Amino acid sequence: MVSALGMTAVLGGCGLTGGSDEVTLRLVAADYGDSAANSSEKYWNSLVEEYEKDHPDVTVEVSVYSWTDVDRKVKELVDAGEAPDLAQIGAYADYAKADKLYSASELLSITTQADFLPQLAAAGAVNGAQYGLPFASSTRLLFYNKSLFAEAGFEAPQTWQELVAAAEALKANGVKFPYALPLGPEEAQAETMQWLLSGRGGYTDPNTGTYVLDSDENVETFDWLKSELVGEDLVGPVAPKSLNRADAFEAFTDGDVGMLNGHPTLMKAAAAKGVKFGMVPMPGIEGPSRISMGVADWMMAFKQNGHAEEIGDFLDFVYDDENVLAFSREYDLLPVTSPVWDTMSVAKEDADLKPFLDALPTSELYPVGRTSWAAVNAAIKQKIGRAVSYGGDPATVLRELQATAATEESAE
């Protein structure tokens, strides 16, 4: 599995370690690093060492796995009746539905709970109770190659029509991918949601939370994508259904892409290759989209071993402002708490992240609080590319996805 943010060990025992007042907490976490120098294992070791200095009766054992393995590892432990005390992974809803998790109110101080950004806290809730604690977040913006745009004589687009005009000029100049549209199975759900939001639609109804995948707005958005971008050969030589995000990002850093949707980690990769780029909100029908797509990864606490008091105390430490700030800066991610968002929004050293920070408070997240989302997400990855393919019909594909959502909802 891949982190919701799009980023690409041996477990110890649990329970009492010695006397009756000594507790060992086991945490399974995902790795956000791209080398040994900045591995999450290094981050957690430093954090735990600091915590244990002031809590001699608590030992925290952390096992870090790649995003390819971490969700599966946690599932295997839970299925074997050996749930860790804490898991920092990509999804929480199935465990919450199975009544395996502590709620936030059973663990955290009032201050810690209140500090979570409201839309992230809401995304962590199931039936009104918060079980998923946001751990890392990100938003998406439109990246554009400044050099290619200057050669084409265009500024960053603000509307769909301006995006098409820029793409036509880029194509005329021989740009390989005027607009890269990755609707391949790696992360099609992200590209899809960003376009739906820009077309005044989305995956769910904002008032009821029910799936509306085949809404008129969504159909109109994909009709436009198929006819105006794909049909006019403005998306490059790889069919959108076969183009994955990682390949699109690599093409951007190679200077072969005029525009694409991206997250903060693309900044470092593009800068390392010498690509001059800009970032703007996703263009919309009549102006910049007012809502960006937000994503989050989650911390959760399992009830199996008890230790609610110790878990809560450790999490209060994890979510201390200083620690949230350090983690966000280490991995070019956005903070999940309001005080740190305030700090980073005005700090000079975080200026590169400001466009993403500005988009976070009004962003919309996947419907991760629904256990149906896993199946719906998988169906979108598998099918949405057909909606813009030759011979494909957006309305038909979106109806199929809505039927999948309805089936999964009834099962839930």
Side-chain angles (χ1 to χ4, degrees):
M1 292 185 66
V2 178
S3 157
L5 306 184
M7 322 285 175
T8 50
V10 179
L11 294 176
C14 63
L16 305 180
T17 62
S20 58
D21 294 328
E22 297 178 11
V23 170
T24 294
L25 300 179
R26 293 186 302 156
L27 165 63
V28 177
D31 193 356
Y32 290 87
D34 54 16
S35 69
N38 72 340
S39 71
S40 289
E41 184 174 5
K42 188 174 180 180
Y43 170 82
W44 282 111
N45 286 345
S46 176
L47 195 71
V48 166
E49 182 179 1
E50 184 179 351
Y51 179 78
E52 289 179 347
K53 284 179 182 177
D54 295 326
H55 301 80
D57 294 328
V58 178
T59 299
V60 183
E61 297 180 352
V62 183
S63 299
V64 175
Y65 295 93
S66 72
W67 275 107
T68 304
D69 298 323
V70 68
D71 289 81
R72 175 176 54 82
K73 288 289 185 181
V74 171
K75 184 178 187 303
E76 289 174 354
L77 288 168
V78 173
D79 289 347
E82 300 173 357
D85 298 283
L86 292 155
Q88 186 273 297
I89 53 177
Y92 67 87
D94 284 344
Y95 299 125
K97 182 183 179 183
D99 195 29
K100 294 182 181 295
L101 302 180
Y102 286 115
S103 68
S105 61
E106 293 176 293
L107 300 171
L108 304 178
S109 69
I110 293 175
T111 301
T112 299
Q113 289 186 72
D115 280 348
F116 288 128
L117 287 163
Q119 82 278 24
L120 298 181
V126 175
N127 296 326
Q130 184 182 355
Y131 294 94
L133 313 180
F135 183 74
S137 68
S138 183
T139 53
R140 302 292 169 92
L141 296 172
L142 183 77
F143 281 66
Y144 66 99
N145 185 310
K146 285 187 173 182
S147 299
L148 297 179
F149 264 69
E151 292 170 7
F154 273 81
E155 301 291 332
Q158 297 188 51
T159 67
W160 286 0
Q161 289 307 319
E162 290 177 3
L163 186 150
V164 166
E168 289 172 341
L170 291 164
K171 179 184 176 183
N173 278 2
V175 175
K176 189 173 182 180
F177 294 89
Y179 179 89
L181 184 66
L183 294 178
E186 180 191 356
E187 205 189 27
Q189 83 285 359
E191 183 72 14
T192 298
M193 184 170 175
Q194 192 75 347
W195 275 102
L196 296 184
L197 292 173
S198 74
R200 301 171 185 159
Y203 286 144
T204 57
D205 183 288
N207 297 314
T208 65
T210 56
Y211 287 105
V212 289
L213 289 156
D214 61 347
S215 69
D216 291 344
E217 292 84 358
N218 292 348
V219 172
E220 289 170 6
T221 293
F222 265 80
D223 280 340
W224 186 91
L225 271 175
K226 183 180 180 184
S227 63
E228 302 299 321
L229 272 185
V230 181
E232 296 298 324
D233 195 24
L234 298 176
V235 296
V238 181
K241 69 178 181 179
S242 301
L243 182 63
N244 282 322
R245 185 211 63 207
D247 296 327
F249 277 20
E250 184 176 359
F252 185 82
T253 64
D254 287 341
D256 292 332
V257 173
M259 300 170 276
L260 84 172
N261 283 315
H263 52 61
T265 58
L266 182 57
M267 294 190 300
K268 184 182 295 185
K273 290 278 196 76
V275 175
K276 296 180 179 179
F277 61 90
M279 301 171 296
V280 294
M282 180 68 180
I285 297 173
E286 297 177 348
S289 179
R290 291 177 294 175
I291 303 176
S292 173
M293 188 190 76
V295 289
D297 294 330
W298 304 94
M299 179 74 77
M300 61 211 70
F302 288 89
K303 297 191 293 186
Q304 179 177 320
N305 305 317
H307 308 324
E309 182 177 352
E310 291 82 4
I311 291 172
D313 188 71
F314 177 64
L315 288 176
D316 282 337
F317 177 75
V318 169
Y319 286 103
D320 178 80
D321 291 349
E322 182 179 343
N323 294 327
V324 173
L325 182 61
F327 178 84
S328 301
R329 285 176 171 168
E330 177 67 31
Y331 299 107
D332 289 327
L333 295 170
L334 305 186
V336 296
T337 62
S338 295
V340 180
W341 182 89
D342 291 338
T343 297
M344 294 181 69
S345 293
V346 298
K348 290 183 179 180
E349 64 184 289
D350 301 310
D352 288 347
L353 286 172
K354 185 164 175 48
F356 296 96
L357 289 161
D358 289 345
L360 185 58
T362 57
S363 63
E364 183 171 320
L365 281 75
Y366 301 131
V368 291
R370 296 177 175 273
T371 56
S372 57
W373 170 242
V376 174
N377 180 23
I380 293 169
K381 291 179 179 181
Q382 179 185 6
K383 295 181 178 181
I384 196 63
R386 288 173 24 213
V388 297
S389 298
Y390 179 77
D393 177 52
T396 298
V397 173
L398 290 169
R399 279 198 299 270
E400 290 177 7
L401 292 172
Q402 180 65 25
T404 296
T407 299
E408 294 297 326
E409 283 285 278
S410 62
E412 182 177 345

